[in-house]
Amino acid sequence: MSGALLLDAALQSMPYGFCVWSPQFRLVLWNQHYCEIYGFEPEHLQVGMTLEAVVGISSSLGNHPDQTPEAFYAAYAGELLANRDGARHKSQEAVRGGRIIETAHVFNPALGWVITHEDVTEEIARTEVMQKRGRELERQNIRLDAAVNNISQGLCMCDAQGRLVICNEPYQRIYNLPEALVRPGTQLEEILGHLFDSGMSSGTSRQQYIAWRRDIIARGEYGKNVHEFNGRVIMMQHHPMKDGGWVSSHEDITEQRQIEARIRYLARHDALTDLPNRVQFLEEMANAEAAIGRGEQAAVLYIDLDHFKGVNDTLGHAVGDELIREAGMRLWRTTRDNDLLARLGGDEFALLLRSVSSEADVAKVANRIVKAMAAPFTIGEHQIDISASVGIAMAPQDGVNTDTLVKHADMALYKAKADGRSTFHFFETGMDEELQQRRSIEAGLRAALARDELRLVFQPLLDLEQNKIGCVEALLRWDCAERSISPAEFIPIAEETGLIVPLGEWVLREACRTATTWPDGVRVAVNLSTVQFRNKELVSVIRSALADAGLPASRLELEITESLLLADNESTLRALHQLRAMGVRISMDDFGIGYSSLSYLRSFPFDKIKIDRSFMRDLTTRSDNLAIIRAVIGLGQSLGMTTTAEGVETPEQLELVRALGCSEVQGFLFSPPLAPAVLELMLIRQVEHTRLLRAAS
């Protein structure tokens, strides 16, 4: 059978209308389905008829009811003229009986416009039918496009005897076929032999692939195969025809496969660090369960970057992202080849150590991680100090499945952070109860303000020169329904979760409000957390609290620790100078326990130094403690700063610090923390006592 007859048979067997219009809008070719769609009788159409004449007949048959023949002709002719670049253009039109016809036309300079017409009414109404017909339309379009050589895929058509009828240029180009092998009549097996000789690989042997092609040809079934040719990935689809022949399409899907591989990679890797993500980590953990079940030891390490949130808040997310990348690289350098390091999200990482011999080996890895993360990071012009806390769960002793090991490693991480951060901790029995307690405290703190469970107590500071109360420190207490919770329990959790910001603001406002009921000469001291200074609105909040209470700024004293300056020197100093300019007094609390206290006295003119209570212990028996206190008091005097000795509990301690020239004392010898009413009564008595002394003199 000739190529022309095969093409004619293919066109007449198409389940949709087909016609060709010349560049002069003259009818060249059509099939029976075209007539059936529009209701044309055989005598209606003739070769050479104009498009305008056919549109008139079509309109008279009830087609395009929403347009006049003239309007439809103008729109349709304009649509065809606008599509002469070889691209396929689709549109829809309404015909008699309320049917919807989809037309698709492509321009060929030699033929004109090749147009298909398909009734898509049911396809629009029913998705399943539309998809089925779409597949059929696609298979039929392959035949049409092969005939007019107008698609980018490689196509070849063979007859029932396996002889090449026609192929297009993309087919020849994909396989670099010589002219002799693309002539009509060439046997398929000659082409396949050449392809295998030229480097084609199908994933099976040459004989198996040829046998597979013979089998689907014999059975007249659709088939698909992916093979490689000269480094490219080609997908071949075999489409049988009713006469025993077939059309095969050949598409270069190399880029598609690369994109798919990249998508699979990204689905299991973190985009920022390029480390495996939580999905892959959990998959690898699940895969490791079999080895753990056989008794092989493994370890799961949960790693959290300490103080990372402060970096994001103060330096921005761009610096934070770069810090995460650098941290990921440092962590990766601490691992072995068979370890799996993953970023779980945010500032959390996880490490799976396979085939470990002992806890000591795991501890060495954890220690390497802690040390690596303790070194400063240089990000752009910023030097950033963070650290890492690590929680460790050992398998099989701490669990044999993924959920248990991950849970226990997370609990151990909580313990490491509670122990002061920048350390590691192994999981221990009982941590679950401790974690639940921490979470209970966190949940309770969130509701404590609304439930009116918070209160302030006040501990006086005695001015040794005037022998009277000159300042009072506000201390936070929490009385929940079950018990009174120590600040040592809830303050660290409040700082870790950020709840210290609203709690701290409440303390500040309540302390200022209460201080307005005291005599004018008495100041109130409020502790500020490092976390509160990360709030860019802190200075505004303090200004608002003073204004709302009507308290002069000179009567407010803010106590900070040197860890605040260590965390973020530049922005902190800027805020402290703003506060001091307002008239607020600034005290350094717990002075002497850090490694760089003296350097901070040079960086900011503090009003007061509070000597840590640890130096009061054994003051009367240890000469070194006495020497340190003498030095600090002398330093404060030379710098014009008030000095306060904390933790004074015995008369001997009081006399020693008084003799050394200390300005103030604070401790249970003079007064424990008092309820507001009790303190107010004490201050009233002090005022009365002062008045009597003046009257007597």
Side-chain angles (χ1 to χ4, degrees), residues 344-361:
L344 304 183
D347 59 354
E348 294 182 352
F349 295 81
L351 178 60
L352 171 62
L353 302 181
R354 303 180 178 94
S355 303
V356 298
S357 57
S358 66
E359 284 191 5
D361 289 342

Side-chain angles (χ1 to χ4, degrees), residues 253-303:
I253 60 170
T254 307
E255 285 76 17
Q256 177 184 334
R257 286 299 175 92
Q258 291 171 344
I259 292 171
E260 290 171 353
R262 180 63 179 165
I263 291 172
R264 288 194 298 271
Y265 181 87
L266 291 176
R268 286 168 170 74
H269 286 77
D270 174 54
L272 188 59
T273 63
D274 207 35
L275 292 171
N277 61 12
R278 183 184 295 272
V279 172
Q280 183 168 346
F281 181 77
L282 294 178
E283 287 180 355
E284 294 291 337
M285 283 287 299
N287 294 336
E289 289 181 6
I292 294 171
R294 295 192 298 269
E296 184 176 301
Q297 275 203 320
V300 178
L301 284 69
Y302 260 36
I303 306 161

Side-chain angles (χ1 to χ4, degrees), residues 335-352:
T335 63
R336 307 168 301 174
D337 289 342
N338 65 332
D339 298 335
L340 177 70
L341 175 67
R343 183 188 178 211
L344 304 183
D347 59 354
E348 294 182 352
F349 295 81
L351 178 60
L352 171 62

Side-chain angles (χ1 to χ4, degrees), residues 71-92:
F72 180 81
Y73 170 75
Y76 194 59
E79 182 181 300
L80 294 178
L81 289 172
N83 183 34
R84 289 185 289 184
D85 58 359
R88 182 177 298 279
H89 179 78
K90 290 185 178 182
S91 62
Q92 292 183 350

Side-chain angles (χ1 to χ4, degrees), residues 352-564:
L352 171 62
L353 302 181
R354 303 180 178 94
S355 303
V356 298
S357 57
S358 66
E359 284 191 5
D361 289 342
V362 178
K364 290 178 182 177
V365 175
N367 193 46
R368 283 203 306 269
I369 290 172
V370 172
K371 286 184 176 180
M373 301 307 293
F377 287 83
T378 301
I379 308 296
E381 59 187 25
H382 304 285
Q383 180 168 306
I384 301 172
D385 292 291
I386 61 170
S387 57
S389 300
V390 183
I392 307 168
M394 297 291 297
Q397 51 266 50
D398 296 333
V400 295
N401 61 58
T402 299
D403 290 344
T404 302
L405 289 168
V406 166
K407 175 184 176 183
H408 288 172
D410 194 32
M411 290 180 187
L413 174 61
Y414 266 94
K415 179 62 175 175
K417 294 173 78 69
D419 284 351
R421 306 172 188 260
S422 193
T423 187
F424 63 89
H425 209 291
F426 285 89
F427 172 77
E428 297 172 355
T429 303
M431 280 186 176
D432 192 10
E433 182 179 347
E434 182 179 336
L435 179 60
Q436 293 302 323
Q437 177 66 20
R438 284 177 59 84
R439 288 175 174 166
S440 175
I441 290 176
E442 179 183 341
L445 271 177
R446 296 186 184 278
L449 281 173
R451 294 174 180 169
D452 199 25
E453 295 176 347
L454 300 176
R455 61 185 175 90
L456 292 183
V457 294
F458 300 89
Q459 187 172 29
L461 282 69
L462 178 65
D463 185 320
L464 293 180
E465 181 179 352
Q466 300 186 35
N467 199 36
K468 68 176 185 178
I469 300 170
C471 184
V472 179
E473 182 176 1
L475 301 169
L476 181 61
R477 297 293 184 264
W478 179 18
D479 301 319
C480 67
E482 297 81 10
R483 63 188 177 98
S484 293
I485 301 176
S486 167
E489 286 187 75
F490 70 81
I491 291 297
I493 296 175
E495 290 183 324
E496 183 180 320
T497 59
L499 290 172
I500 195 67
V501 174
L503 292 180
E505 182 175 345
W506 180 86
V507 169
L508 182 67
R509 293 184 178 279
E510 186 68 11
C512 290
R513 185 191 63 77
T514 305
T516 57
T517 66
W518 303 340
D520 290 343
V522 180
R523 302 183 304 277
V524 61
V526 177
N527 290 279
L528 288 184
S529 163
T530 301
V531 179
Q532 288 175 268
F533 268 84
R534 295 176 191 157
N535 179 11
K536 296 178 181 178
E537 302 300 319
L538 176 63
V539 175
S540 299
V541 169
I542 293 172
R543 185 181 287 110
S544 170
L546 289 169
D548 291 348
L551 185 71
S554 59
R555 291 186 59 193
L556 175 62
E557 199 167 278
L558 299 176
E559 297 186 4
I560 66 171
T561 62
E562 59 193 79
S563 61
L564 170 63

